Amino acid sequence: LYRAVGDVLVDMLPLLQRTGFDAVLLRHDQKIEAAVRALGFFPGHYQGDVRDNRPLFAQPPGTAEALTRRDPRDFVNEGASI
């Protein structure tokens, strides 16, 4: 389990999630609602990441659609582990 703590800002979340962090503890002045919104900006990426190192075109059919249905609240839960 890799949890990001400290000065974790909302704009860091998409990259933290793609690079293997499982949970975050946001800085006290950051809002969970903004974090959830930030994670929804880019539901999928063309490049592979820690979840699946294959680029999007090499993943099974329907992968792109499934990415848009992820619930970002699973990642941001006031630092609770998932």
Side-chain angles (χ1 to χ4, degrees):
L1 179 68
Y2 294 100
R3 180 182 300 170
V5 296
D7 284 337
V8 178
L9 306 176
V10 168
D11 63 342
M12 299 171 160
L13 299 185
L15 185 58
L16 288 171
Q17 187 178 46
R18 290 194 71 211
T19 55
F21 285 86
D22 301 302
V24 297
L25 180 59
L26 295 172
R27 194 170 71 184
H28 67 87
D29 61 340
Q30 303 294 294
K31 304 277 187 240
I32 290 180
E33 297 80 19
V36 170
R37 202 169 50 248
L39 287 169
F41 287 153
F42 304 104
H45 298 277
Y46 184 76
Q47 307 93 339
D49 59 24
V50 294
R51 287 194 194 128
D52 192 337
N53 64 1
R54 297 174 295 174
L56 190 58
F57 73 84
Q59 296 179 21
T63 300
E65 293 79 20
L67 289 171
T68 62
R69 291 191 292 271
R70 283 189 191 151
D71 188 355
R73 289 173 291 187
D74 290 341
F75 182 67
V76 180
N77 189 9
E78 296 186 40
S81 62
I82 23 183

